[in-house]
Amino acid sequence: MAAALGVGVVTAEDLAAGAGRLVRVDRADGEAVTLIAVGYGESGPILAVPANPARLGDLARILAVEPAAARRIRLADPAAFAAALDAATADVASAADPDAPDDAHDGVVPEASEGEFEDTPPPNSPTAAPRASPDTMRRPALRVVGTRRVEAALDGFRAAAGGCGAERTVTGRQAAILGGIVAAAIGAATLAPATTSGLTICLVAICFVGFAGLRVAAAIGVVGGGFAPPAQPLADIDLPLYTVLVPLHREARVVPRLLPALCALDYPADKLDLKLLLEASDRETIAAVERHPLAHRFDVVTVPKVGPLTKPKALGVGLTLARGSLVTIFDAEDRPDPDQLRRAAETFAAAGPALACVQARLATDHAGDTWITAMFALEYAMLFDAVLPWLASRQLPFLLGGTSNHFRKSALLAVGGWDAFNVTEDADLAVRLARRGYASTVIASTTHEEAPLEVAAWLKQRSRWYKGFLQTALVHARDLAGLGRGVGIDGLVALGLQLIGALVTVVAYPVFWFLIAGYTVGALPFSPDGSFAGDLRFALVVTAFLGGQAAMALLALAALRMRPSAIRPLALVWLPVYWWLHAFALALAVVDLVRRPHFWAKTEHGVAWRPAGNKRRAAATT
C-alpha cells in the first residue's frame, strides 16, 4: 500500500514511542478519529494511519487532490496501531470532547473522505476510552484541523465584511484620492505657503486639544472614583459555557507559566472550553505543551499553514470550534485575575444583547525593570485605568486591547470574527462592532502581561501596532458614511480621535518640538510677526503643545494614584522622550506597510523572566 500511494511506513516501535502524542482528526463527514503523531514536519504532525486495504482507494483519492499530504502520512500495521492506541488511552480520558459539535464543512490533515480510518474507533464511540471528569489530568492530544476550516473562517469574514478588509491595503479609488490629496498639498504649499502652514497647524492643534481634553476628563473620572458597569451575580449553575482562545506561536518559553494561570481561573471546570491554538509548523511550542499534563477542559488545536501567519487567523479558526456562548482571548504571557471570567459573565448578564464586548484592564507587574518598561506600564495605566473607562462611562466606542476582551459569540459571528490580514485585529474589530450598533464596556479586573525590556523590542512591537492602525484607518475610510450612521456623530469623533488623531499627534509631536525649540534659540523664523495670522499660528502651536503635555502629566499622576506601582512620579520627566520613540515607531510602520503589509512582527515573550530579567528586577527593588 505504501508503495502504491507513495507514502512511508512506521514500525511497531515507532508507534509505541509516539503513543503519548495522540492527535484528534476531524473527518470530512463530521466524525472524529484519534491517530498517533510519530513526528513533526514543516506542515504539522506526521500521522500514523492504520493500513486498511479496503481504504486504499479512499487514500489514493485524497492524495490525488492534495499530493502534499503524502509527507504527513505514514502507514502502520493495524494490529500494532490498535495496541499502541490502547496503551495510550488505557488510563486517560478520551482526546475528544463528546459534547463538541461536529462541523460537516471541516477538513482534516490529510483531507479525509467519508469512511476512511473506520478501523480506528472515534473517541466518542462505544469502544473508545471513557470520558474523564473535567479535572482529570492527561497528556494532551492535538486536534488537527484542515485547510477547509481556515478557508471557511477567511471566507466567513470576507462575506460579513463585504470586501472591506485589510487583505487589500489600498483600493484603486483610495489610491487616486490619496494621490490627489498629496498633489493638492504640494501645490498649496508652493503657491500659498503661509496659508497652507496655518491651516495645517490649526488642524493638528485641534487633535492636540482634543487629546488634551480627553486626558483631562479621564483624569477627573479617576479622581471621582472611576467607572464600573452594572453586574448581575450568578451562581455556578447559571454561568454560561465560556470559550477561552489562547493563540501561541513560538511561545515554548512561556508555556510553563501560562498553563497554571489558565488553571487558576475561578470558573466551573465543566463550563470551560480552553483552546490552545498552535501553528502546525511550530514544533517547539507543540513539544512544550505536550510535556505538561492537562485537564480535560483543554483542547489543543494545530492551525495549518494556510493564509497569513497572524494571530487573528488562528483566532478565526478557534471561533469556528468555540463551544461557549461567551468567548475571550488571552495571550501567551497573560496572567489574568482568577475571577475575570465570572465578572465578565455577570456584566453580560446585567446588560442587554447590544453589549458585545467587555474589556478587562491590562497592566504590567515589572514596571521597575528598565526605563522602557516603566514608560510602557505608565502608558497602559493611563489608557486602561482612565481613558477607556471614561469612554465606556459615556457609552462611546473605544479601541480594544489585544487580549482579555470578552465577547458574545453571536456578536463575533455577526461581524465575521477577526480580520486575518490586520496586524492590530483588536482595533479593527472594535470599529466593526461599533458600526453594527454593538456596545463595549470595561471591567475593573486586571490581566498582567509582559512589557518589552529593551527599546529595540518596544519599537518592533509598537511599529506593528501603528501599522495596524494605518490598516484599520484605510479600511474603514472606504465607507465613512456607513460608519457614521452606525456610531453616530459623537461615536465617529471618539473613534477618529483615538485612531486618526493619535497618528496625527504622533507625527506632529517632533515637528512642534522643533518649531518651539527653533523659536526659543532663534534658529528658525517662527515667531509672532505682528500679523493676526502669524500671532495666531504661534499661539496655537504653543498652547496646543504645552496644554497637551500638561494634560498628559495630569492623567499620568491620576493613573499612578489609582494603580500603585514601582514607577515614581519623577519618571514623568521621561514622557517627552518616550513620545519621540512613538514618532520613530510610526515612521517604521509606514515603511513596513508599503513593504510587507501583512507581516506580523513577533514579540518575544518570557524575556522578563529570564535570569537577566530577574537581576534587573532585583536591582530595581533594592
Side-chain angles (χ1 to χ4, degrees):
M1 285 184 65
L5 295 172
V7 300
V9 297
V10 292
T11 65
E13 291 76 14
D14 294 330
L15 289 170
R21 299 193 295 271
L22 301 182
V23 177
R24 173 179 173 172
V25 177
D26 295 334
R27 300 192 321 192
D29 61 0
E31 292 295 332
V33 295
T34 300
L35 301 180
I36 299 172
V38 293
Y40 293 93
E42 287 298 321
S43 300
I46 298 171
L47 304 178
V49 177
N52 184 346
R55 302 304 171 196
L56 177 61
D58 291 338
L59 282 171
R61 284 190 293 273
I62 293 168
L63 295 175
V65 173
E66 189 182 359
R71 297 194 297 269
R72 305 197 298 273
I73 295 177
R74 300 291 185 271
L75 295 186
D77 175 79
F81 183 92
L85 190 61
D86 286 344
T89 59
D91 299 317
V92 296
S94 166
D97 187 339
D99 295 331
D102 291 327
D103 297 283
H105 68 275
D106 189 27
V108 300
V109 181
E111 299 288 350
S113 61
E114 184 176 359
E116 196 190 345
F117 308 143
E118 286 183 357
D119 49 342
T120 303
N124 54 346
S125 72
T127 58
R131 183 185 181 187
S133 67
D135 289 321
T136 298
M137 304 303 287
R138 58 173 170 81
R139 291 194 66 179
L142 302 182
R143 179 203 289 252
V144 176
V145 299
T147 59
R148 292 182 188 176
R149 188 176 290 275
V150 179
E151 292 164 354
L154 295 175
D155 290 342
F157 173 80
R158 294 185 186 109
C164 191
E167 188 170 2
R168 188 176 183 184
T169 305
V170 178
T171 65
R173 182 170 177 268
Q174 283 183 306
I177 292 174
L178 290 172
I181 292 174
V182 171
I186 294 174
T190 303
L191 298 175
T195 302
T196 302
S197 65
L199 290 175
T200 302
I201 287 173
C202 285
L203 292 175
V204 173
I206 290 172
C207 291
F208 265 87
V209 171
F211 261 113
L214 177 59
R215 288 165 175 159
V216 170
I220 294 173
V222 170
V223 174
F227 163 75
Q232 176 184 328
L234 296 174
D236 283 6
I237 194 172
D238 297 321
L239 289 169
L241 184 62
Y242 222 120
T243 293
V244 178
L245 302 178
V246 187
L248 302 172
H249 178 51
R250 300 199 333 245
E251 300 287 8
R253 184 182 297 112
V254 299
V255 166
R257 287 176 56 83
L258 168 68
L259 297 180
L262 295 176
C263 291
L265 292 171
D266 177 21
Y267 206 81
D270 60 341
K271 294 188 174 184
L272 266 182
D273 174 30
L274 298 169
K275 297 193 183 299
L276 306 182
L277 306 173
L278 313 177
E279 295 295 328
S281 59
D282 187 4
R283 287 170 284 181
E284 185 179 0
T285 305
I286 292 174
V289 172
E290 286 184 326
R291 286 193 290 268
H292 295 81
L294 296 177
H296 185 76
R297 58 187 178 272
F298 280 87
D299 188 9
V300 184
V301 181
T302 61
V303 181
K305 202 172 182 179
V306 179
L309 185 60
T310 61
K311 171 183 171 182
K313 184 200 78 174
L315 292 174
V317 172
L319 181 60
T320 68
L321 297 167
R323 297 168 47 226
S325 60
L326 299 180
V327 179
T328 190
I329 306 160
F330 291 127
D331 283 341
E333 81 279 16
D334 285 355
R335 298 179 303 285
D337 284 347
D339 66 346
Q340 188 171 124
L341 300 189
R342 283 181 179 271
R343 298 186 69 171
E346 291 174 348
T347 302
F348 279 116
L355 179 62
C357 178
V358 172
Q359 172 72 61
R361 305 185 185 195
L362 305 183
T364 175
D365 59 1
H366 61 106
D369 279 8
T370 65
W371 168 80
I372 200 69
T373 60
M375 294 297 99
F376 188 95
L378 184 57
E379 183 183 11
Y380 260 33
M382 289 189 288
L383 179 62
F384 289 101
D385 292 338
V387 174
L388 296 194
W390 185 86
L391 290 169
S393 71
R394 299 300 187 273
Q395 299 182 338
L396 292 171
F398 55 83
L399 302 184
L400 301 174
T403 178
S404 304
N405 25 51
H406 304 254
F407 302 97
R408 292 190 196 273
K409 186 171 71 173
S410 58
L412 278 178
L413 294 174
V415 299
W418 296 269
D419 186 348
F421 294 89
N422 193 309
V423 297
T424 51
E425 77 294 336
D426 45 352
D428 175 74
L429 180 57
V431 180
R432 292 183 187 279
L433 289 171
R435 74 183 300 154
R436 290 289 294 267
Y438 288 109
S440 299
T441 193
V442 176
I443 56 174
S445 178
T446 299
T447 294
H448 291 92
E449 62 175 23
E450 184 178 348
L453 285 178
E454 308 294 345
V455 172
W458 182 94
L459 283 171
K460 184 178 178 182
Q461 182 188 71
R462 194 54 58 103
S463 63
R464 173 173 61 81
W465 292 1
Y466 278 139
K467 182 170 70 172
F469 273 29
L470 291 167
Q471 286 179 312
T472 302
L474 288 169
V475 164
H476 293 285
R478 298 170 194 171
D479 185 18
L480 279 178
L483 180 60
R485 287 192 298 270
V487 304
I489 298 300
D490 54 349
L492 192 62
V493 171
L495 288 175
L497 190 61
Q498 296 171 74
L499 194 59
I500 305 300
L503 297 173
V504 170
T505 52
V506 168
V507 172
Y509 186 82
V511 176
F512 277 20
W513 259 109
F514 275 123
L515 291 176
I516 294 176
Y519 166 70
T520 303
V521 302
L524 291 174
F526 180 72
S527 61
D529 57 8
S531 67
F532 176 77
D535 292 353
L536 177 62
R537 181 178 58 187
F538 180 79
L540 279 173
V541 170
V542 175
T543 302
F545 182 77
L546 296 182
Q549 300 301 295
M552 184 165 57
L554 178 65
L555 178 59
L557 290 172
L560 288 177
R561 175 183 174 182
M562 183 174 187
R563 186 183 293 275
S565 68
I567 307 172
R568 293 188 175 91
L570 188 61
L572 268 61
V573 300
W574 293 106
L575 279 173
V577 179
Y578 186 59
W579 291 107
W580 271 91
L581 286 179
H582 279 262
F584 187 49
L586 179 55
L588 295 176
V590 172
V591 174
D592 212 37
L593 182 66
V594 175
R595 291 180 57 241
R596 44 184 190 177
H598 306 133
F599 175 75
W600 188 282
K602 180 75 176 68
T603 301
E604 186 179 8
H605 296 131
V607 180
W609 304 104
R610 288 177 179 174
N614 292 332
K615 289 177 182 177
R616 290 190 186 94
R617 185 173 297 103
T621 56
T622 56

